[in-house]
PDB file of all heavy atoms in Angstrom:
ATOM      1  N   LEU A 345     -16.471   7.242 -11.476  1.00  0.00           N
ATOM      2  CA  LEU A 345     -15.702   5.998 -11.326  1.00  0.00           C
ATOM      3  C   LEU A 345     -14.385   6.291 -10.619  1.00  0.00           C
ATOM      4  O   LEU A 345     -13.992   5.562  -9.701  1.00  0.00           O
ATOM      5  CB  LEU A 345     -15.447   5.346 -12.682  1.00  0.00           C
ATOM      6  CG  LEU A 345     -14.641   4.037 -12.631  1.00  0.00           C
ATOM      7  CD1 LEU A 345     -15.277   3.002 -11.706  1.00  0.00           C
ATOM      8  CD2 LEU A 345     -14.456   3.454 -14.040  1.00  0.00           C
ATOM      9  N   SER A 346     -13.715   7.377 -10.985  1.00  0.00           N
ATOM     10  CA  SER A 346     -12.455   7.737 -10.309  1.00  0.00           C
ATOM     11  C   SER A 346     -12.700   8.002  -8.832  1.00  0.00           C
ATOM     12  O   SER A 346     -11.968   7.501  -7.959  1.00  0.00           O
ATOM     13  CB  SER A 346     -11.850   8.982 -10.957  1.00  0.00           C
ATOM     14  OG  SER A 346     -11.557   8.770 -12.313  1.00  0.00           O
ATOM     15  N   ARG A 347     -13.714   8.802  -8.530  1.00  0.00           N
ATOM     16  CA  ARG A 347     -14.039   9.149  -7.137  1.00  0.00           C
ATOM     17  C   ARG A 347     -14.310   7.908  -6.309  1.00  0.00           C
ATOM     18  O   ARG A 347     -13.759   7.734  -5.220  1.00  0.00           O
ATOM     19  CB  ARG A 347     -15.276  10.052  -7.112  1.00  0.00           C
ATOM     20  CG  ARG A 347     -15.796  10.367  -5.715  1.00  0.00           C
ATOM     21  CD  ARG A 347     -17.200  10.968  -5.771  1.00  0.00           C
ATOM     22  NE  ARG A 347     -17.237  12.213  -6.524  1.00  0.00           N
ATOM     23  CZ  ARG A 347     -18.354  12.882  -6.800  1.00  0.00           C
ATOM     24  NH1 ARG A 347     -19.530  12.391  -6.425  1.00  0.00           N
ATOM     25  NH2 ARG A 347     -18.322  14.011  -7.477  1.00  0.00           N
ATOM     26  N   TRP A 348     -15.157   7.030  -6.823  1.00  0.00           N
ATOM     27  CA  TRP A 348     -15.605   5.889  -6.022  1.00  0.00           C
ATOM     28  C   TRP A 348     -14.567   4.778  -5.964  1.00  0.00           C
ATOM     29  O   TRP A 348     -14.505   4.038  -4.978  1.00  0.00           O
ATOM     30  CB  TRP A 348     -16.948   5.408  -6.559  1.00  0.00           C
ATOM     31  CG  TRP A 348     -18.042   6.414  -6.325  1.00  0.00           C
ATOM     32  CD1 TRP A 348     -18.170   7.248  -5.238  1.00  0.00           C
ATOM     33  CD2 TRP A 348     -19.155   6.704  -7.176  1.00  0.00           C
ATOM     34  NE1 TRP A 348     -19.304   8.038  -5.367  1.00  0.00           N
ATOM     35  CE2 TRP A 348     -19.925   7.726  -6.544  1.00  0.00           C
ATOM     36  CE3 TRP A 348     -19.594   6.216  -8.407  1.00  0.00           C
ATOM     37  CZ2 TRP A 348     -21.095   8.247  -7.109  1.00  0.00           C
ATOM     38  CZ3 TRP A 348     -20.749   6.736  -8.971  1.00  0.00           C
ATOM     39  CH2 TRP A 348     -21.503   7.737  -8.321  1.00  0.00           C
ATOM     40  N   MET A 349     -13.732   4.651  -6.982  1.00  0.00           N
ATOM     41  CA  MET A 349     -12.624   3.700  -6.880  1.00  0.00           C
ATOM     42  C   MET A 349     -11.680   4.107  -5.757  1.00  0.00           C
ATOM     43  O   MET A 349     -11.280   3.282  -4.926  1.00  0.00           O
ATOM     44  CB  MET A 349     -11.874   3.611  -8.212  1.00  0.00           C
ATOM     45  CG  MET A 349     -12.596   2.821  -9.293  1.00  0.00           C
ATOM     46  SD  MET A 349     -11.706   2.805 -10.871  1.00  0.00           S
ATOM     47  CE  MET A 349     -10.286   1.801 -10.468  1.00  0.00           C
ATOM     48  N   ALA A 350     -11.297   5.379  -5.738  1.00  0.00           N
ATOM     49  CA  ALA A 350     -10.385   5.848  -4.691  1.00  0.00           C
ATOM     50  C   ALA A 350     -11.017   5.702  -3.314  1.00  0.00           C
ATOM     51  O   ALA A 350     -10.379   5.209  -2.367  1.00  0.00           O
ATOM     52  CB  ALA A 350      -9.992   7.302  -4.951  1.00  0.00           C
ATOM     53  N   ALA A 351     -12.273   6.111  -3.173  1.00  0.00           N
ATOM     54  CA  ALA A 351     -12.948   6.013  -1.879  1.00  0.00           C
ATOM     55  C   ALA A 351     -13.067   4.568  -1.412  1.00  0.00           C
ATOM     56  O   ALA A 351     -13.001   4.285  -0.209  1.00  0.00           O
ATOM     57  CB  ALA A 351     -14.326   6.659  -1.968  1.00  0.00           C
ATOM     58  N   SER A 352     -13.211   3.656  -2.354  1.00  0.00           N
ATOM     59  CA  SER A 352     -13.348   2.239  -1.991  1.00  0.00           C
ATOM     60  C   SER A 352     -12.104   1.684  -1.333  1.00  0.00           C
ATOM     61  O   SER A 352     -12.175   0.731  -0.543  1.00  0.00           O
ATOM     62  CB  SER A 352     -13.698   1.412  -3.240  1.00  0.00           C
ATOM     63  OG  SER A 352     -14.976   1.747  -3.732  1.00  0.00           O
ATOM     64  N   THR A 353     -10.945   2.264  -1.645  1.00  0.00           N
ATOM     65  CA  THR A 353      -9.714   1.757  -1.037  1.00  0.00           C
ATOM     66  C   THR A 353      -9.685   2.002   0.466  1.00  0.00           C
ATOM     67  O   THR A 353      -8.953   1.310   1.193  1.00  0.00           O
ATOM     68  CB  THR A 353      -8.467   2.391  -1.672  1.00  0.00           C
ATOM     69  OG1 THR A 353      -8.402   3.791  -1.349  1.00  0.00           O
ATOM     70  CG2 THR A 353      -8.454   2.208  -3.179  1.00  0.00           C
ATOM     71  N   LYS A 354     -10.439   2.972   0.952  1.00  0.00           N
ATOM     72  CA  LYS A 354     -10.513   3.218   2.391  1.00  0.00           C
ATOM     73  C   LYS A 354     -11.358   2.153   3.091  1.00  0.00           C
ATOM     74  O   LYS A 354     -11.106   1.828   4.256  1.00  0.00           O
ATOM     75  CB  LYS A 354     -11.109   4.601   2.660  1.00  0.00           C
ATOM     76  CG  LYS A 354     -10.196   5.752   2.300  1.00  0.00           C
ATOM     77  CD  LYS A 354      -8.951   5.777   3.178  1.00  0.00           C
ATOM     78  CE  LYS A 354      -8.148   7.041   3.006  1.00  0.00           C
ATOM     79  NZ  LYS A 354      -6.915   7.043   3.813  1.00  0.00           N
TER      80      LYS A 354
END
Side-chain angles (χ1 to χ4, degrees):
L345 180 55
S346 299
R347 174 194 300 175
W348 292 325
M349 285 177 69
S352 294
T353 68
K354 289 295 190 182

